[in-house]
Amino acid sequence: MTPKGKHPPRRPPSGLFNRLLDSLKDLFTLVLDQERRIVYASSSFLEHFGLEWQQVSGQPCVKLGSPFTGTAGEEMGFCPLDLGPYFSVHHFLTREADNQKFVYKGVFYHLAHDAEGTWTVCTFRDVTHMFNLESQVRHLDELERQLVQAAMDGIIVNDMLGNILIFNEGAARILGYRPGEVIGVLKVNHLYPGKLAHEIKQLIYSPANGGVGILENYETEARHQDGTLVPIWLSARILRENGLEVGIVGYFRDLRERKRLEEELLRHERLVTLGRMVSHISHEIKNPLATIGGFAQQCERQEDLPEATRHKIKIIHEEVQRLEKFLTDLGSFTRTAPTLKNPGDILALIQEVAAFMEAGFKERGVVFELQTSEKIPQFAFDPGQMRQVFINLFKNALEAMPHGGVLTVSAAVREDQLVLALADTGLGIAPEQLKSLFTPFFSTKEGGTGLGLTICRGLIDQHQGEIDIASEVDRGTTCTIRLPLKPF
Ligand code: ADP
Ligand code: MG
């Protein structure tokens, strides 16, 4: 049994629909006839635009724009010329009464047919407020994006699965990737060596480093695109939305420059201490050595010596000479002679050193080449000190090419620097030794002092320049020197 109401269904009272539409204050309604003339306008519409029914009654809908819009381009109003069965519009209109700008969202649809054609209903709302809010949000988004991008520090945001969502220009600069190669492509653990990403995540969740969900100023390493490790200072936060963890943001600072300065300072301090020690020791050794050498020479001159004894004394004399030479080397390492810079032709100096060592080159079958594709301007340097640098480096190159090879020196101007590259085709240097080359007394040679490169770096430092060595085993070694081309 179907329950029946007490009353039979009521027909809506006439005018109910008008009253209904009029009561929907924020929804404006128009009804258009076949010719798209206005046959009904809700009172909310009339009120909103400050119009009287007589002004719009029977007017073509396309004209509607004109009474309350001023600006060109708005003339069509919100009634399109060509109406389909359903048509949605978004329009800017300026209300003439108070010159206020509004944004409307409207919908046109065919209501029904009767003998004379189709009725079209248009309903629309004022969405100005929402539109403004949206554009404010868009503006804020843009501002935030620019802020993130402009930050000097690297900023990376990843979701809980490790997918990278934000990778700013700072991060790109520090880690060598373009953002497009990372966002949506790489997982965050790819940016750290080994299991480091996992360890960092554990630190973020532990309370020890600024609280749960926070990691502050943690010194660690990230992996550069070229595989090298970049020392960084990392701070990270867990991102939450409605209490749920949605991702992690990491801010990091490049520590390479700071590390380099620290190391340089340390090296400098070490060298100063070492220098003092060395000069003290060599002073103590020099005098007795001179005595030993002198007497050995005297003894050697005696005529009635058995041959075996003479030979032994000769060896004493030679060894003393070797030690004296070593002390002289030590001396140039510790001496901080003032640098006397004068304008000069560095290529001529290089040629001069090469000529001086020509016999050595020939003996080993080493070919020397000097290459320049441009004119090298004169600049100020200390010829004595630079001569010493080239002698040390050429000697190393020679010693690395026992069976011959090519030593090429090329010179080029890069901005305000002279870049000299000394490349040999010798034995090369094992990667694990590269770090120690400039450490005093580091030598892989029997009888080597391990001071040559240390002295070179000291002298290049005095010229405010830089010296670096790159090498590949069995391929050769290239030593690069950069010197400021200062005007004099
Ligand atoms: P030494 O020549 O007395 O060993 P250096 O300071 O001049 O001291 O050089 C240190 C070390 O660097 C050398 O023992 C050698 O292992 C390495 N080295 C320097 N220059 C070269 C080169 N051109 N080729 C190969 N190894 C080199
Ligand atoms: Mg040497």
Side-chain angles (χ1 to χ4, degrees), residues 392-393 396-400 424 426-429 433 436-439 441-445 447-455 469 471 476-478:
N392 286 355
L393 297 178
N396 280 349
L398 267 185
E399 285 159 4
D424 66 51
L427 303 169
I429 302 167
Q433 289 174 347
S436 319
L437 297 182
F438 294 95
T439 309
F441 308 112
F442 172 81
S443 177
T444 56
K445 297 170 194 165
T449 59
L451 288 174
L453 290 179
T454 312
I455 292 170
I469 288 188
S471 184
T477 302
T478 300

PDB file of all heavy atoms in Angstrom, residues 392-393 396-400 424 426-429 433 436-439 441-445 447-455 469 471 476-478, ligand 1:
ATOM      1  N   ASN A 392     110.838  23.596 -11.473  1.00  0.00           N
ATOM      2  CA  ASN A 392     110.282  22.495 -10.677  1.00  0.00           C
ATOM      3  C   ASN A 392     109.280  21.675 -11.486  1.00  0.00           C
ATOM      4  O   ASN A 392     109.301  20.441 -11.452  1.00  0.00           O
ATOM      5  CB  ASN A 392     109.569  23.032  -9.431  1.00  0.00           C
ATOM      6  CG  ASN A 392     110.553  23.505  -8.385  1.00  0.00           C
ATOM      7  OD1 ASN A 392     111.765  23.358  -8.552  1.00  0.00           O
ATOM      8  ND2 ASN A 392     110.042  24.098  -7.312  1.00  0.00           N
ATOM      9  N   LEU A 393     108.401  22.385 -12.218  1.00  0.00           N
ATOM     10  CA  LEU A 393     107.356  21.671 -12.944  1.00  0.00           C
ATOM     11  C   LEU A 393     107.934  20.912 -14.143  1.00  0.00           C
ATOM     12  O   LEU A 393     107.526  19.784 -14.418  1.00  0.00           O
ATOM     13  CB  LEU A 393     106.258  22.642 -13.400  1.00  0.00           C
ATOM     14  CG  LEU A 393     105.501  23.331 -12.252  1.00  0.00           C
ATOM     15  CD1 LEU A 393     104.480  24.314 -12.802  1.00  0.00           C
ATOM     16  CD2 LEU A 393     104.806  22.301 -11.358  1.00  0.00           C
ATOM     17  N   ASN A 396     109.546  17.782 -12.847  1.00  0.00           N
ATOM     18  CA  ASN A 396     108.558  16.738 -12.550  1.00  0.00           C
ATOM     19  C   ASN A 396     108.097  16.063 -13.837  1.00  0.00           C
ATOM     20  O   ASN A 396     107.957  14.833 -13.885  1.00  0.00           O
ATOM     21  CB  ASN A 396     107.339  17.332 -11.838  1.00  0.00           C
ATOM     22  CG  ASN A 396     107.605  17.539 -10.360  1.00  0.00           C
ATOM     23  OD1 ASN A 396     108.609  17.063  -9.826  1.00  0.00           O
ATOM     24  ND2 ASN A 396     106.718  18.265  -9.698  1.00  0.00           N
ATOM     25  N   ALA A 397     107.833  16.884 -14.867  1.00  0.00           N
ATOM     26  CA  ALA A 397     107.352  16.322 -16.130  1.00  0.00           C
ATOM     27  C   ALA A 397     108.409  15.386 -16.719  1.00  0.00           C
ATOM     28  O   ALA A 397     108.098  14.269 -17.152  1.00  0.00           O
ATOM     29  CB  ALA A 397     107.020  17.445 -17.106  1.00  0.00           C
ATOM     30  N   LEU A 398     109.647  15.846 -16.704  1.00  0.00           N
ATOM     31  CA  LEU A 398     110.744  15.011 -17.228  1.00  0.00           C
ATOM     32  C   LEU A 398     110.827  13.686 -16.480  1.00  0.00           C
ATOM     33  O   LEU A 398     110.951  12.621 -17.081  1.00  0.00           O
ATOM     34  CB  LEU A 398     112.074  15.742 -17.041  1.00  0.00           C
ATOM     35  CG  LEU A 398     112.577  16.591 -18.188  1.00  0.00           C
ATOM     36  CD1 LEU A 398     113.961  17.130 -17.867  1.00  0.00           C
ATOM     37  CD2 LEU A 398     112.643  15.725 -19.444  1.00  0.00           C
ATOM     38  N   GLU A 399     110.748  13.788 -15.157  1.00  0.00           N
ATOM     39  CA  GLU A 399     110.870  12.573 -14.343  1.00  0.00           C
ATOM     40  C   GLU A 399     109.701  11.619 -14.580  1.00  0.00           C
ATOM     41  O   GLU A 399     109.810  10.424 -14.333  1.00  0.00           O
ATOM     42  CB  GLU A 399     110.961  12.953 -12.852  1.00  0.00           C
ATOM     43  CG  GLU A 399     112.334  13.521 -12.504  1.00  0.00           C
ATOM     44  CD  GLU A 399     112.346  14.371 -11.232  1.00  0.00           C
ATOM     45  OE1 GLU A 399     111.295  14.472 -10.564  1.00  0.00           O
ATOM     46  OE2 GLU A 399     113.407  14.929 -10.924  1.00  0.00           O
ATOM     47  N   ALA A 400     108.564  12.179 -15.042  1.00  0.00           N
ATOM     48  CA  ALA A 400     107.392  11.323 -15.295  1.00  0.00           C
ATOM     49  C   ALA A 400     107.449  10.705 -16.685  1.00  0.00           C
ATOM     50  O   ALA A 400     106.587   9.911 -17.044  1.00  0.00           O
ATOM     51  CB  ALA A 400     106.107  12.128 -15.132  1.00  0.00           C
ATOM     52  N   ASP A 424     102.056  16.943 -19.727  1.00  0.00           N
ATOM     53  CA  ASP A 424     103.033  15.947 -20.152  1.00  0.00           C
ATOM     54  C   ASP A 424     102.316  14.663 -20.528  1.00  0.00           C
ATOM     55  O   ASP A 424     101.144  14.472 -20.216  1.00  0.00           O
ATOM     56  CB  ASP A 424     104.084  15.702 -19.053  1.00  0.00           C
ATOM     57  CG  ASP A 424     103.521  15.062 -17.811  1.00  0.00           C
ATOM     58  OD1 ASP A 424     102.830  14.030 -17.923  1.00  0.00           O
ATOM     59  OD2 ASP A 424     103.769  15.593 -16.699  1.00  0.00           O
ATOM     60  N   GLY A 426     103.256  11.657 -19.579  1.00  0.00           N
ATOM     61  CA  GLY A 426     104.020  10.738 -18.734  1.00  0.00           C
ATOM     62  C   GLY A 426     103.176   9.700 -18.019  1.00  0.00           C
ATOM     63  O   GLY A 426     102.064   9.359 -18.432  1.00  0.00           O
ATOM     64  N   LEU A 427     103.703   9.235 -16.892  1.00  0.00           N
ATOM     65  CA  LEU A 427     103.109   8.114 -16.163  1.00  0.00           C
ATOM     66  C   LEU A 427     101.769   8.442 -15.508  1.00  0.00           C
ATOM     67  O   LEU A 427     100.969   7.551 -15.251  1.00  0.00           O
ATOM     68  CB  LEU A 427     104.082   7.663 -15.057  1.00  0.00           C
ATOM     69  CG  LEU A 427     105.490   7.267 -15.522  1.00  0.00           C
ATOM     70  CD1 LEU A 427     106.415   7.112 -14.329  1.00  0.00           C
ATOM     71  CD2 LEU A 427     105.391   5.964 -16.309  1.00  0.00           C
ATOM     72  N   GLY A 428     101.553   9.726 -15.217  1.00  0.00           N
ATOM     73  CA  GLY A 428     100.310  10.109 -14.550  1.00  0.00           C
ATOM     74  C   GLY A 428     100.384   9.872 -13.053  1.00  0.00           C
ATOM     75  O   GLY A 428     101.397   9.372 -12.531  1.00  0.00           O
ATOM     76  N   ILE A 429      99.293  10.226 -12.371  1.00  0.00           N
ATOM     77  CA  ILE A 429      99.276  10.155 -10.904  1.00  0.00           C
ATOM     78  C   ILE A 429      98.026   9.387 -10.481  1.00  0.00           C
ATOM     79  O   ILE A 429      96.935   9.631 -11.013  1.00  0.00           O
ATOM     80  CB  ILE A 429      99.236  11.575 -10.304  1.00  0.00           C
ATOM     81  CG1 ILE A 429     100.459  12.373 -10.783  1.00  0.00           C
ATOM     82  CG2 ILE A 429      99.186  11.541  -8.775  1.00  0.00           C
ATOM     83  CD1 ILE A 429     100.368  13.854 -10.523  1.00  0.00           C
ATOM     84  N   GLN A 433      96.425   9.805  -4.867  1.00  0.00           N
ATOM     85  CA  GLN A 433      97.603  10.623  -4.511  1.00  0.00           C
ATOM     86  C   GLN A 433      97.387  12.099  -4.831  1.00  0.00           C
ATOM     87  O   GLN A 433      98.114  12.956  -4.333  1.00  0.00           O
ATOM     88  CB  GLN A 433      98.828  10.113  -5.264  1.00  0.00           C
ATOM     89  CG  GLN A 433      99.287   8.768  -4.735  1.00  0.00           C
ATOM     90  CD  GLN A 433     100.408   8.174  -5.551  1.00  0.00           C
ATOM     91  OE1 GLN A 433     100.690   8.648  -6.653  1.00  0.00           O
ATOM     92  NE2 GLN A 433     101.039   7.138  -5.029  1.00  0.00           N
ATOM     93  N   SER A 436      97.428  14.716  -2.119  1.00  0.00           N
ATOM     94  CA  SER A 436      98.627  14.939  -1.310  1.00  0.00           C
ATOM     95  C   SER A 436      99.741  15.679  -2.027  1.00  0.00           C
ATOM     96  O   SER A 436     100.763  15.983  -1.414  1.00  0.00           O
ATOM     97  CB  SER A 436      99.181  13.589  -0.846  1.00  0.00           C
ATOM     98  OG  SER A 436      98.151  12.733  -0.463  1.00  0.00           O
ATOM     99  N   LEU A 437      99.535  15.953  -3.328  1.00  0.00           N
ATOM    100  CA  LEU A 437     100.663  16.458  -4.119  1.00  0.00           C
ATOM    101  C   LEU A 437     101.312  17.697  -3.535  1.00  0.00           C
ATOM    102  O   LEU A 437     102.520  17.871  -3.599  1.00  0.00           O
ATOM    103  CB  LEU A 437     100.200  16.769  -5.548  1.00  0.00           C
ATOM    104  CG  LEU A 437      99.691  15.583  -6.345  1.00  0.00           C
ATOM    105  CD1 LEU A 437      99.328  16.016  -7.741  1.00  0.00           C
ATOM    106  CD2 LEU A 437     100.741  14.483  -6.386  1.00  0.00           C
ATOM    107  N   PHE A 438     100.472  18.584  -2.972  1.00  0.00           N
ATOM    108  CA  PHE A 438     101.011  19.857  -2.492  1.00  0.00           C
ATOM    109  C   PHE A 438     101.377  19.804  -1.009  1.00  0.00           C
ATOM    110  O   PHE A 438     101.647  20.826  -0.397  1.00  0.00           O
ATOM    111  CB  PHE A 438     100.018  20.986  -2.775  1.00  0.00           C
ATOM    112  CG  PHE A 438      99.838  21.240  -4.249  1.00  0.00           C
ATOM    113  CD1 PHE A 438      98.797  20.660  -4.954  1.00  0.00           C
ATOM    114  CD2 PHE A 438     100.733  22.048  -4.937  1.00  0.00           C
ATOM    115  CE1 PHE A 438      98.631  20.879  -6.319  1.00  0.00           C
ATOM    116  CE2 PHE A 438     100.585  22.278  -6.305  1.00  0.00           C
ATOM    117  CZ  PHE A 438      99.535  21.691  -6.991  1.00  0.00           C
ATOM    118  N   THR A 439     101.334  18.613  -0.440  1.00  0.00           N
ATOM    119  CA  THR A 439     101.723  18.462   0.960  1.00  0.00           C
ATOM    120  C   THR A 439     103.251  18.374   1.023  1.00  0.00           C
ATOM    121  O   THR A 439     103.850  17.603   0.287  1.00  0.00           O
ATOM    122  CB  THR A 439     101.126  17.155   1.537  1.00  0.00           C
ATOM    123  OG1 THR A 439      99.742  17.155   1.233  1.00  0.00           O
ATOM    124  CG2 THR A 439     101.336  17.048   3.024  1.00  0.00           C
ATOM    125  N   PHE A 441     106.892  17.350   1.607  1.00  0.00           N
ATOM    126  CA  PHE A 441     107.559  16.050   1.755  1.00  0.00           C
ATOM    127  C   PHE A 441     106.788  14.882   1.172  1.00  0.00           C
ATOM    128  O   PHE A 441     107.193  13.743   1.327  1.00  0.00           O
ATOM    129  CB  PHE A 441     107.918  15.761   3.236  1.00  0.00           C
ATOM    130  CG  PHE A 441     108.687  16.872   3.865  1.00  0.00           C
ATOM    131  CD1 PHE A 441     108.127  17.646   4.883  1.00  0.00           C
ATOM    132  CD2 PHE A 441     109.965  17.187   3.424  1.00  0.00           C
ATOM    133  CE1 PHE A 441     108.828  18.686   5.444  1.00  0.00           C
ATOM    134  CE2 PHE A 441     110.676  18.233   3.981  1.00  0.00           C
ATOM    135  CZ  PHE A 441     110.111  18.991   4.991  1.00  0.00           C
ATOM    136  N   PHE A 442     105.672  15.160   0.490  1.00  0.00           N
ATOM    137  CA  PHE A 442     105.011  14.035  -0.186  1.00  0.00           C
ATOM    138  C   PHE A 442     105.764  13.761  -1.483  1.00  0.00           C
ATOM    139  O   PHE A 442     105.864  14.622  -2.361  1.00  0.00           O
ATOM    140  CB  PHE A 442     103.544  14.329  -0.499  1.00  0.00           C
ATOM    141  CG  PHE A 442     102.934  13.253  -1.360  1.00  0.00           C
ATOM    142  CD1 PHE A 442     102.481  12.076  -0.786  1.00  0.00           C
ATOM    143  CD2 PHE A 442     102.892  13.382  -2.746  1.00  0.00           C
ATOM    144  CE1 PHE A 442     101.973  11.046  -1.580  1.00  0.00           C
ATOM    145  CE2 PHE A 442     102.382  12.358  -3.545  1.00  0.00           C
ATOM    146  CZ  PHE A 442     101.922  11.195  -2.951  1.00  0.00           C
ATOM    147  N   SER A 443     106.301  12.565  -1.595  1.00  0.00           N
ATOM    148  CA  SER A 443     107.022  12.204  -2.808  1.00  0.00           C
ATOM    149  C   SER A 443     106.861  10.723  -3.070  1.00  0.00           C
ATOM    150  O   SER A 443     106.823   9.923  -2.136  1.00  0.00           O
ATOM    151  CB  SER A 443     108.506  12.531  -2.650  1.00  0.00           C
ATOM    152  OG  SER A 443     109.197  12.102  -3.802  1.00  0.00           O
ATOM    153  N   THR A 444     106.753  10.372  -4.353  1.00  0.00           N
ATOM    154  CA  THR A 444     106.696   8.947  -4.690  1.00  0.00           C
ATOM    155  C   THR A 444     108.018   8.523  -5.312  1.00  0.00           C
ATOM    156  O   THR A 444     108.139   7.420  -5.806  1.00  0.00           O
ATOM    157  CB  THR A 444     105.562   8.684  -5.704  1.00  0.00           C
ATOM    158  OG1 THR A 444     105.788   9.520  -6.833  1.00  0.00           O
ATOM    159  CG2 THR A 444     104.202   8.952  -5.117  1.00  0.00           C
ATOM    160  N   LYS A 445     108.987   9.456  -5.289  1.00  0.00           N
ATOM    161  CA  LYS A 445     110.253   9.161  -5.968  1.00  0.00           C
ATOM    162  C   LYS A 445     111.330   8.805  -4.965  1.00  0.00           C
ATOM    163  O   LYS A 445     111.392   9.390  -3.879  1.00  0.00           O
ATOM    164  CB  LYS A 445     110.720  10.397  -6.734  1.00  0.00           C
ATOM    165  CG  LYS A 445     109.757  10.793  -7.815  1.00  0.00           C
ATOM    166  CD  LYS A 445     110.128  12.139  -8.373  1.00  0.00           C
ATOM    167  CE  LYS A 445     108.970  12.673  -9.188  1.00  0.00           C
ATOM    168  NZ  LYS A 445     109.126  14.095  -9.456  1.00  0.00           N
ATOM    169  N   GLY A 447     114.531   9.258  -3.374  1.00  0.00           N
ATOM    170  CA  GLY A 447     115.403  10.427  -3.326  1.00  0.00           C
ATOM    171  C   GLY A 447     114.686  11.736  -3.589  1.00  0.00           C
ATOM    172  O   GLY A 447     115.309  12.788  -3.663  1.00  0.00           O
ATOM    173  N   GLY A 448     113.357  11.707  -3.761  1.00  0.00           N
ATOM    174  CA  GLY A 448     112.602  12.950  -3.976  1.00  0.00           C
ATOM    175  C   GLY A 448     112.449  13.705  -2.663  1.00  0.00           C
ATOM    176  O   GLY A 448     112.367  13.088  -1.598  1.00  0.00           O
ATOM    177  N   THR A 449     112.429  15.041  -2.738  1.00  0.00           N
ATOM    178  CA  THR A 449     112.263  15.804  -1.487  1.00  0.00           C
ATOM    179  C   THR A 449     110.785  16.019  -1.192  1.00  0.00           C
ATOM    180  O   THR A 449     110.402  16.286  -0.062  1.00  0.00           O
ATOM    181  CB  THR A 449     112.912  17.194  -1.602  1.00  0.00           C
ATOM    182  OG1 THR A 449     112.283  17.888  -2.684  1.00  0.00           O
ATOM    183  CG2 THR A 449     114.388  17.089  -1.844  1.00  0.00           C
ATOM    184  N   GLY A 450     109.952  15.955  -2.231  1.00  0.00           N
ATOM    185  CA  GLY A 450     108.527  16.223  -2.016  1.00  0.00           C
ATOM    186  C   GLY A 450     108.272  17.676  -1.696  1.00  0.00           C
ATOM    187  O   GLY A 450     107.243  18.020  -1.103  1.00  0.00           O
ATOM    188  N   LEU A 451     109.214  18.539  -2.093  1.00  0.00           N
ATOM    189  CA  LEU A 451     109.038  19.965  -1.800  1.00  0.00           C
ATOM    190  C   LEU A 451     108.743  20.791  -3.054  1.00  0.00           C
ATOM    191  O   LEU A 451     108.270  21.917  -2.968  1.00  0.00           O
ATOM    192  CB  LEU A 451     110.302  20.521  -1.128  1.00  0.00           C
ATOM    193  CG  LEU A 451     110.501  20.053   0.305  1.00  0.00           C
ATOM    194  CD1 LEU A 451     111.851  20.525   0.827  1.00  0.00           C
ATOM    195  CD2 LEU A 451     109.387  20.574   1.198  1.00  0.00           C
ATOM    196  N   GLY A 452     109.000  20.214  -4.222  1.00  0.00           N
ATOM    197  CA  GLY A 452     108.874  20.974  -5.477  1.00  0.00           C
ATOM    198  C   GLY A 452     107.511  21.639  -5.617  1.00  0.00           C
ATOM    199  O   GLY A 452     107.418  22.855  -5.814  1.00  0.00           O
ATOM    200  N   LEU A 453     106.465  20.855  -5.508  1.00  0.00           N
ATOM    201  CA  LEU A 453     105.128  21.417  -5.721  1.00  0.00           C
ATOM    202  C   LEU A 453     104.730  22.362  -4.589  1.00  0.00           C
ATOM    203  O   LEU A 453     104.044  23.353  -4.810  1.00  0.00           O
ATOM    204  CB  LEU A 453     104.098  20.299  -5.875  1.00  0.00           C
ATOM    205  CG  LEU A 453     104.213  19.500  -7.181  1.00  0.00           C
ATOM    206  CD1 LEU A 453     103.162  18.404  -7.241  1.00  0.00           C
ATOM    207  CD2 LEU A 453     104.055  20.426  -8.380  1.00  0.00           C
ATOM    208  N   THR A 454     105.157  22.032  -3.360  1.00  0.00           N
ATOM    209  CA  THR A 454     104.851  22.922  -2.239  1.00  0.00           C
ATOM    210  C   THR A 454     105.460  24.300  -2.483  1.00  0.00           C
ATOM    211  O   THR A 454     104.824  25.330  -2.272  1.00  0.00           O
ATOM    212  CB  THR A 454     105.420  22.345  -0.926  1.00  0.00           C
ATOM    213  OG1 THR A 454     105.046  20.982  -0.845  1.00  0.00           O
ATOM    214  CG2 THR A 454     104.904  23.079   0.279  1.00  0.00           C
ATOM    215  N   ILE A 455     106.702  24.283  -2.959  1.00  0.00           N
ATOM    216  CA  ILE A 455     107.376  25.560  -3.253  1.00  0.00           C
ATOM    217  C   ILE A 455     106.627  26.290  -4.365  1.00  0.00           C
ATOM    218  O   ILE A 455     106.340  27.490  -4.256  1.00  0.00           O
ATOM    219  CB  ILE A 455     108.852  25.298  -3.664  1.00  0.00           C
ATOM    220  CG1 ILE A 455     109.636  24.783  -2.457  1.00  0.00           C
ATOM    221  CG2 ILE A 455     109.487  26.561  -4.219  1.00  0.00           C
ATOM    222  CD1 ILE A 455     111.019  24.261  -2.784  1.00  0.00           C
ATOM    223  N   ILE A 469      96.525  20.526 -10.265  1.00  0.00           N
ATOM    224  CA  ILE A 469      97.041  19.427 -11.086  1.00  0.00           C
ATOM    225  C   ILE A 469      95.930  18.419 -11.359  1.00  0.00           C
ATOM    226  O   ILE A 469      95.195  18.027 -10.449  1.00  0.00           O
ATOM    227  CB  ILE A 469      98.228  18.741 -10.381  1.00  0.00           C
ATOM    228  CG1 ILE A 469      99.427  19.690 -10.436  1.00  0.00           C
ATOM    229  CG2 ILE A 469      98.560  17.410 -11.042  1.00  0.00           C
ATOM    230  CD1 ILE A 469     100.718  19.124  -9.961  1.00  0.00           C
ATOM    231  N   SER A 471      95.298  14.680 -13.509  1.00  0.00           N
ATOM    232  CA  SER A 471      96.139  13.638 -14.082  1.00  0.00           C
ATOM    233  C   SER A 471      95.366  12.353 -14.327  1.00  0.00           C
ATOM    234  O   SER A 471      94.335  12.102 -13.687  1.00  0.00           O
ATOM    235  CB  SER A 471      97.286  13.355 -13.120  1.00  0.00           C
ATOM    236  OG  SER A 471      98.164  12.425 -13.699  1.00  0.00           O
ATOM    237  N   GLY A 476      99.013  10.919 -18.621  1.00  0.00           N
ATOM    238  CA  GLY A 476      99.797  12.133 -18.426  1.00  0.00           C
ATOM    239  C   GLY A 476      99.185  13.060 -17.401  1.00  0.00           C
ATOM    240  O   GLY A 476      98.129  12.785 -16.825  1.00  0.00           O
ATOM    241  N   THR A 477      99.887  14.139 -17.170  1.00  0.00           N
ATOM    242  CA  THR A 477      99.522  15.067 -16.117  1.00  0.00           C
ATOM    243  C   THR A 477      99.479  16.472 -16.694  1.00  0.00           C
ATOM    244  O   THR A 477     100.317  16.834 -17.515  1.00  0.00           O
ATOM    245  CB  THR A 477     100.592  15.001 -15.013  1.00  0.00           C
ATOM    246  OG1 THR A 477     100.661  13.655 -14.543  1.00  0.00           O
ATOM    247  CG2 THR A 477     100.276  15.934 -13.847  1.00  0.00           C
ATOM    248  N   THR A 478      98.469  17.237 -16.255  1.00  0.00           N
ATOM    249  CA  THR A 478      98.415  18.633 -16.677  1.00  0.00           C
ATOM    250  C   THR A 478      98.390  19.520 -15.442  1.00  0.00           C
ATOM    251  O   THR A 478      97.561  19.340 -14.550  1.00  0.00           O
ATOM    252  CB  THR A 478      97.151  18.912 -17.519  1.00  0.00           C
ATOM    253  OG1 THR A 478      97.193  18.072 -18.655  1.00  0.00           O
ATOM    254  CG2 THR A 478      97.115  20.365 -17.978  1.00  0.00           C
TER     255      THR A 478
HETATM  256  P1  ADP B   1     109.311  15.397  -5.808  1.00  0.00           P
HETATM  257  O1  ADP B   1     109.426  15.715  -7.265  1.00  0.00           O
HETATM  258  O2  ADP B   1     110.540  15.699  -5.050  1.00  0.00           O
HETATM  259  O3  ADP B   1     108.780  14.024  -5.544  1.00  0.00           O
HETATM  260  P2  ADP B   1     107.176  17.298  -5.899  1.00  0.00           P
HETATM  261  O4  ADP B   1     106.533  18.116  -4.864  1.00  0.00           O
HETATM  262  O5  ADP B   1     107.770  18.020  -7.042  1.00  0.00           O
HETATM  263  O6  ADP B   1     108.219  16.394  -5.175  1.00  0.00           O
HETATM  264  O7  ADP B   1     106.144  16.272  -6.446  1.00  0.00           O
HETATM  265  C1  ADP B   1     105.430  15.479  -5.528  1.00  0.00           C
HETATM  266  C2  ADP B   1     104.911  14.223  -6.199  1.00  0.00           C
HETATM  267  O8  ADP B   1     103.924  14.574  -7.149  1.00  0.00           O
HETATM  268  C3  ADP B   1     105.929  13.464  -6.999  1.00  0.00           C
HETATM  269  O9  ADP B   1     106.673  12.581  -6.184  1.00  0.00           O
HETATM  270  C4  ADP B   1     105.073  12.708  -7.988  1.00  0.00           C
HETATM  271  O10 ADP B   1     104.522  11.576  -7.378  1.00  0.00           O
HETATM  272  C5  ADP B   1     103.951  13.659  -8.222  1.00  0.00           C
HETATM  273  N1  ADP B   1     104.105  14.422  -9.454  1.00  0.00           N
HETATM  274  C6  ADP B   1     104.359  15.738  -9.570  1.00  0.00           C
HETATM  275  N2  ADP B   1     104.393  16.117 -10.857  1.00  0.00           N
HETATM  276  C7  ADP B   1     104.141  15.016 -11.593  1.00  0.00           C
HETATM  277  C8  ADP B   1     104.024  14.732 -13.005  1.00  0.00           C
HETATM  278  N3  ADP B   1     104.211  15.690 -13.919  1.00  0.00           N
HETATM  279  N4  ADP B   1     103.723  13.477 -13.376  1.00  0.00           N
HETATM  280  C9  ADP B   1     103.538  12.507 -12.464  1.00  0.00           C
HETATM  281  N5  ADP B   1     103.631  12.704 -11.130  1.00  0.00           N
HETATM  282  C10 ADP B   1     103.939  13.927 -10.690  1.00  0.00           C
END
